[in-house]
Amino acid sequence: MRSTLADDPTLDCQSCGTPVRVLTDAEQQRVAANPYNYVVFCREHRDDARQKGF
């Protein structure tokens, strides 16, 4: 059975909260250890984030 964004932990857009990517078990551990290293933006907000220096 294939998992979906609703079933698994995700990285969410920092602007709107849209799930951007499903995390693997290893990624979940890395994000839990250093959450500020994993700031992501969806395609809609990516350009705005780059202009702000992300």
Side-chain angles (χ1 to χ4, degrees), residues 2-22:
R2 186 177 172 106
S3 61
T4 63
L5 289 175
D7 298 333
D8 295 318
T10 59
L11 285 177
D12 300 336
C13 175
Q14 297 299 300
S15 292
C16 66
T18 300
V20 175
R21 125 181 213 126
V22 174

Side-chain angles (χ1 to χ4, degrees), residues 32-43:
N34 296 301
Y36 296 106
N37 290 344
Y38 298 91
V39 176
V40 296
F41 295 91
C42 66
R43 289 178 190 230

Side-chain angles (χ1 to χ4, degrees), residues 22-52:
V22 174
L23 297 172
T24 65
D25 291 337
E27 289 171 330
Q28 289 175 45
Q29 292 174 0
R30 288 192 297 267
V31 170
N34 296 301
Y36 296 106
N37 290 344
Y38 298 91
V39 176
V40 296
F41 295 91
C42 66
R43 289 178 190 230
E44 182 179 334
H45 294 107
R46 181 177 49 201
D47 291 336
D48 292 337
R50 285 183 181 156
Q51 288 178 353
K52 293 178 183 177

